[in-house]
Amino acid sequence: MNYIEKLKLELGEEKVSDSLEHREAFARDESGIPELYLPDVVVHPESTEDVVKIAKIAYEHDVPMTPRGAGTSLSGGPLTVQGGILVVFDRMNHIKEIDSDNLMVITEPGVITQNLQNEVERFGMFYPPDPASLDQCTIGGNVATNAGGPRALKYGVTKHYLLELEVVLPNGEVVRFGKKTKKWVAGYDLPSLMTQSEGTLGFITEITLRLIPLPHYVQTFLVPFDDEVEASKVVSEVIARKILPRALEFIDRSSIDAAREMLPPNIPTDARAILLIELDGREDAVMAEAEEIAEICEKHSAMDIMASMDDRDRERIWQARRDLLHALEETGKIVRIEDITIPRSRIPEAVSKVYEIEKEIGLTLAIFGHAGDGNIHINILHDRGQEKLVDKVVERLCHVAVELDGTITGEHGIGILKKPHLHLEQSDRVISLQRAIKNVFDPKGIMNPGKKLP
Amino acid sequence: MNYIEKLKLELGEEKVSDSLEHREAFARDESGIPELYLPDVVVHPESTEDVVKIAKIAYEHDVPMTPRGAGTSLSGGPLTVQGGILVVFDRMNHIKEIDSDNLMVITEPGVITQNLQNEVERFGMFYPPDPASLDQCTIGGNVATNAGGPRALKYGVTKHYLLELEVVLPNGEVVRFGKKTKKWVAGYDLPSLMTQSEGTLGFITEITLRLIPLPHYVQTFLVPFDDEVEASKVVSEVIARKILPRALEFIDRSSIDAAREMLPPNIPTDARAILLIELDGREDAVMAEAEEIAEICEKHSAMDIMASMDDRDRERIWQARRDLLHALEETGKIVRIEDITIPRSRIPEAVSKVYEIEKEIGLTLAIFGHAGDGNIHINILHDRGQEKLVDKVVERLCHVAVELDGTITGEHGIGILKKPHLHLEQSDRVISLQRAIKNVFDPKGIMNPGKKLP
């Protein structure tokens, strides 16, 4: 019996499909990679036991396995570059326990991040990480890529909330890493090793996250400037005054032009930059910080300071921010989005280098991103056939990141897109250490092969 | 030439000592382990280059190496159980750069934690982790053990502040893990793998930490109760109201009796439990939370609510808390301090089991600790010759921790003391994975051998 027949037999036909139509539905992610990567079979496990069965069959037959959440990856992580079994976690989408006494949540990996956030908020708790795709992406994918988002500035990234994981190793063994306690130092920090491993070490089948109290009050500001430099000075000055907003986002003119229809109608037509600033905490404290920030914005010739009037207002502003990518795509162009990250103080240098590259290579580069934490998103607008130019831009951007003491990827992951550039940032020895660690978990090399490490 | 002569030749005699007197000065830590572990030679490197030289000589001669900060370990981590070279980082004690623009600090590992905190506070920044030994322990030791402390409740532990490390591998190669950016997902999370590795993977020679803005205002309360159960109900209710104090400490009657001379004189003589509660943030917000907490304490029959009047007051309270261990030692007894950690809601069960063990085995067990995060410190008071009874208590406590879904060590580490009990918490497979990872970094097994993994 071949392995696909075995999968059907052991899991049941309703969880296993090798029809061309079904395989095609999972052959892409959101990275804009033009190639189609067809899995040989798609499996939808409903339990840890199902995942164990899949892994045992794959291990026996030496077949590659690739885990997939919602497929919102921007780096090619869930693409089956060597075919084999695609394991889609869309049916393992239950929250197992919300523990209000201990401020934690236990969940299956396929739960959509925003749903998880909404559920815990009903109990007065808060799970901060907020990647732009939060209404589609899954918490398992968030752990596997150590997802960030705007709120990372104040609240950190996914790994800062991780307590315990259940993992199915590539040979089908079930292990548990970490503990359901805020402090835990028994053995090496294997939960953190699993974050940002992009599915190359094992399947994450259960996740325990710590939560924090939901902030009492949130205030959001949209501040347009007619001068990009002044806007970036505001960012520096807010941090210099030791205020950490929950978000501090920068949107440049190309992005403004593309997204204008989705932004509040009162954005001045000659705005060259917009800051999106969000504060949270007790109401009095937020008010005090808001006053300080307004003062800084005025000093730097802000064209206006628009405050959100209510939650719906706030949600509309954020939706526009998250929809920027789609707005850029509606220009008719294909968008490759890059996520180099540098120490925040070096953003002005980075931005001027980005505009140099734009001039030189001739593709439009629209910048928006998390200015507060130095994670800037550079959108490379292009047409089919221009992939070589895109690759050139990406390579140049990776060089800029490393020259400015930063990283080639702050939150999107290595996947397949950044693999050729990892050596810019890491020595051969560091890469070989990681290859050896991968080999400890996956001696047969069947776990999401062709990703992450060159 | 033997390896000690080589060390003297390559590093200079003033950095290398094999005199009995010098070796004896480093043959203990703070764990209360009765045995003396004499290193064969003690080396005090002054730079990464020195550490490289040490490692190359040790690697060539197959000699064990053990890193040591201030020797405040409570688990035997820096003891040279197999002799060899003890590498003491007391001379690599310089802060390299305080970067106020990017809220980070770059430091050598031998800097004392409190000095680092004081220095960054001068620039309005805050490094929260605060192990009780913070006026002696080093930041390198803090990273190697993923140190916690009272403030972990609100601010997390050492690994949550770690950005980038320079590491000297056991064969003398220098590598860098991580990046000086708040977001970084290029490759596996090797910085986190180094935290809580207790010196078994390599030497940490440079550390970059992220910082946060220094809170504007701090308020500390000392609240005595004549009933332990009421005190523990206050802890639960504070968390249930979704208030996260920066610290929420519990002190039981045995500890109160021992430390009474150091506590404020107005602590009622019949107090059976004390809560130490500390809040921080903007002044208005702190005041609002303080009011809520006072209300909860009153409801649960607090005997008094004493607020700190000023910083000196506050420091005196904390010094008394930190000195509890020494106060217990002044009873004439030897103190072994345990640090099991459980989900916070299970503290009452744990405490009653601790008192059962006390009754059964007949040694006094004094409890204090970080009630807010479930990390309770159980002090086993004993005399020389009672080590077997102590071991029995420890084993029982480890069982209790695991039964209540907790960990055998929340912040003190495995070292040598907890090695026999790791299997209670982790499966053979999880332990063998860790052994294989250790082998990737240290194939000769010369890096702090005999520690951490059974």
Side-chain angles (χ1 to χ4, degrees), chain A residues 217-400:
Chain A
Y217 187 75
V218 182
Q219 177 72 278
T220 310
F221 300 92
L222 211 59
V223 190
F225 294 83
D226 57 10
D227 184 323
E228 275 128 331
V229 178
E230 291 299 311
S232 77
K233 281 186 187 159
V234 168
V235 175
S236 306
E237 207 165 320
V238 168
I239 305 288
R241 292 247 199 131
K242 304 295 175 307
I243 299 173
L244 269 196
R246 79 154 31 175
L248 184 42
E249 304 277 302
F250 181 91
I251 305 170
D252 85 338
R253 194 167 52 164
S254 305
S255 307
I256 295 171
D257 288 341
R260 191 172 302 275
E261 276 174 35
M262 290 192 242
L263 290 173
N266 43 351
I267 294 281
T269 49
D270 50 347
R272 291 184 63 93
I274 298 174
L275 291 182
L276 197 170
I277 306 171
E278 188 161 271
L279 302 168
D280 69 2
R282 294 248 171 190
E283 187 167 348
D284 291 338
V286 170
M287 290 303 180
E289 287 188 345
E291 236 170 80
E292 273 193 65
I293 285 179
E295 210 176 88
I296 297 169
C297 289
E298 274 161 20
K299 184 174 134 195
H300 290 285
S301 321
M303 301 168 85
D304 198 354
I305 300 176
M306 293 171 247
S308 61
M309 306 308 286
D310 54 36
D311 278 0
R312 252 189 71 225
D313 233 24
R314 238 169 49 69
E315 196 32 56
R316 208 164 51 91
I317 291 174
W318 278 107
Q319 202 50 53
R321 161 67 184 80
R322 286 183 207 119
D323 285 342
L324 272 178
L325 185 60
H326 303 292
L328 291 174
E329 280 163 352
E330 276 166 31
T331 60
K333 294 285 182 178
I334 305 163
V335 181
R336 171 79 74 78
I337 175 168
E338 285 303 313
D339 71 325
I340 61 168
T341 305
I342 57 217
R344 200 199 44 68
S345 64
R346 310 200 72 172
I347 289 181
E349 281 169 87
V351 169
S352 72
K353 285 194 190 239
V354 169
Y355 289 138
E356 269 172 39
I357 296 169
E358 178 174 53
K359 230 183 246 171
E360 196 188 309
I361 301 193
L363 295 179
T364 300
L365 304 181
I367 302 176
F368 57 79
H370 319 307
D373 58 22
N375 177 207
I376 54 177
H377 291 316
I378 297 147
N379 298 275
I380 311 167
L381 275 57
H382 64 285
D383 299 309
R384 277 283 164 253
Q386 292 186 305
E387 284 80 13
K388 283 240 161 84
L389 285 180
V390 174
D391 289 346
K392 217 167 176 177
V393 172
V394 172
E395 197 187 336
R396 293 286 301 279
L397 291 175
C398 289
H399 275 280
V400 168

Side-chain angles (χ1 to χ4, degrees), chain A residues 18-90:
Chain A
D18 57 350
S19 78
L20 182 62
E21 197 190 348
H22 201 80
R23 289 155 58 213
E24 277 180 346
F26 294 96
R28 291 195 187 282
D29 63 4
E30 297 284 325
S31 61
I33 293 173
E35 290 82 13
L36 268 186
Y37 289 104
L38 275 183
D40 293 310
V41 60
V42 180
V43 188
H44 301 266
E46 294 177 4
S47 66
T48 300
E49 294 65 46
D50 283 350
V51 179
V52 168
K53 285 178 192 165
I54 296 166
K56 284 191 168 159
I57 293 170
Y59 191 78
E60 190 193 331
H61 292 260
D62 287 322
V63 179
M65 299 180 280
T66 300
R68 182 180 174 109
T72 54
S73 170
L74 296 167
S75 58
L79 299 179
T80 51
V81 293
Q82 297 182 14
I85 306 171
L86 184 71
V87 183
V88 183
F89 282 90
D90 53 353

Side-chain angles (χ1 to χ4, degrees), chain A residues 405-418:
Chain A
D405 225 358
T407 178
I408 60 171
T409 176
E411 53 185 13
H412 296 170
I414 298 288
I416 50 178
L417 283 180
K418 290 283 175 72

Side-chain angles (χ1 to χ4, degrees), chain B residues 223-237:
Chain B
V223 190
F225 293 83
D226 57 10
D227 185 321
E228 275 127 331
V229 178
E230 291 299 312
S232 77
K233 280 185 188 160
V234 169
V235 175
S236 306
E237 206 166 318

